[in-house]
């Protein structure tokens, strides 16, 4: 079975600095998708960024980028120029191509210090 | 407005009572999902439905039931057989295609007293 592990329960960063959240996953599949979701205090889950496993290029969305290392099964999220609104729980998730189920990690709580 | 509606936001029930959580969408998405979120854990899939009148169990379906009579609606019933029902419940939808992403509703916090 696929598993997703986020080894950092909590992280904090100074406003305007850069922070990296870690995620590793375990799968025997070669074709899959990886996601980072943000859950602010409102608890609404918001998709931050998506990576397709067959694409070698790392995905980027404005201040958010990923470091996708397929061989190492690692998928970290880098947030540049951190803003107070980035404070939230961040979840890494995996989905095999063709499957309906998202497999989530345990989450990392990110605090932004002003 | 287009989106996913879950009501109510907070729900309280006495132990031993069945309770139904509502999920409605007007995104015209084929697939709908129910997830459960507990403190310190990620989301876990309860049930999902890819088309009307069809649904499949997820990883933690015991003690729950669903129906999908309309494309727009996917209600979740938490039965008295669910041993630890207090949790945050999230509904999600997707287009159902192979490259889909899931969109989440605002969630319902269920507390069983």
């Amino acid at each position: 079975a696929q598993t997703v592990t986020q080894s950092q329960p909590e992280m904090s960063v100074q406003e305007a600095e850069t922070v990296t959240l870690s995620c590793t996953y375990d799968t025997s599949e070669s074709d899959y998708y990886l996601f980072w979701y943000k859950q602010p205090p409102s608890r609404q889950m918001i998709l931050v960024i998506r990576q397709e496993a067959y694409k070698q290029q790392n995905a980027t969305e404005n201040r958010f980028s990923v470091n996708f290392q397929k061989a190492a099964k690692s998928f970290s999220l880098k947030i540049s120029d951190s803003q107070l609104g980035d404070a939230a729980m961040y979840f890494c998730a995996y989905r095999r191509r063709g499957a309906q189920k998202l497999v989530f990690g345990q989450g990392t709580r990110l605090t932004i210090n002003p | 407005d287009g989106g996913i509606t879950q009501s109510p936001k907070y729900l309280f029930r006495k132990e031993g009572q069945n309770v139904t959580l509502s999920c409605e969408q007007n995104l015209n998405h084929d697939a709908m999902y129910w997830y459960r979120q507990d403190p310190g854990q990620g989301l876990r899939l309860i049930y999902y439905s890819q088309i009307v009148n069809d649904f499949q169990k997820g990883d933690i379906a015991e003690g729950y039931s669903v129906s999908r009579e309309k494309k727009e609606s996917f209600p979740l019933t938490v039965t008295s057989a669910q041993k630890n029902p207090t949790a945050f419940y999230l509904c999600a939808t997707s287009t159902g295609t192979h490259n889909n992403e899931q969109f989440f509703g605002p969630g319902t916090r269920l507390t069983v007293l």
Side-chain angles (χ1 to χ4, degrees), chain A residues 33 35 37 39 42-47 50 52 89 91 95 97-107, chain B residues 9 31 33 35 37 40-43 45 48 50 59 88 90 94 96 98-102 104-106 109:
Chain A
Y33 303 92
F35 307 84
Y37 279 89
Q39 188 179 42
S42 67
R43 304 201 76 172
Q44 175 81 53
M45 293 287 283
I46 303 164
L47 180 65
R50 172 177 58 191
E52 297 172 17
M89 284 289 290
F91 291 95
R95 183 174 65 81
R97 178 183 281 270
Q100 293 294 322
K101 185 175 74 171
L102 277 171
V103 179
F104 285 85
Q106 305 92 322
Chain B
K9 189 171 180 65
Y33 312 79
Y35 290 90
Q37 185 177 22
Q41 299 189 38
L43 281 66
L45 182 65
Y48 67 97
Q50 294 179 259
D59 296 324
F88 188 63
L90 284 154
S94 72
H98 72 279
N99 194 25
N100 57 350
E101 66 177 85
Q102 294 184 14
F104 286 82
R109 171 69 182 178

Side-chain angles (χ1 to χ4, degrees), chain B residues 35-87:
Chain B
Y35 290 90
R36 170 180 171 140
Q37 185 177 22
D38 293 286
Q41 299 189 38
L43 281 66
R44 293 181 291 167
L45 182 65
I46 304 171
Y47 268 99
Y48 67 97
S49 168
Q50 294 179 259
I51 56 172
V52 175
N53 292 323
D54 186 51
F55 48 83
Q56 282 79 40
K57 293 181 179 180
D59 296 324
I60 55 167
E62 184 176 353
Y64 300 97
S65 65
V66 294
S67 63
R68 186 85 187 276
E69 298 176 0
K70 300 186 301 181
K71 187 175 185 177
E72 301 79 14
S73 179
F74 189 43
L76 172 74
T77 297
V78 185
T79 75
S80 57
Q82 168 51 234
K83 296 179 181 178
N84 187 18
T86 295

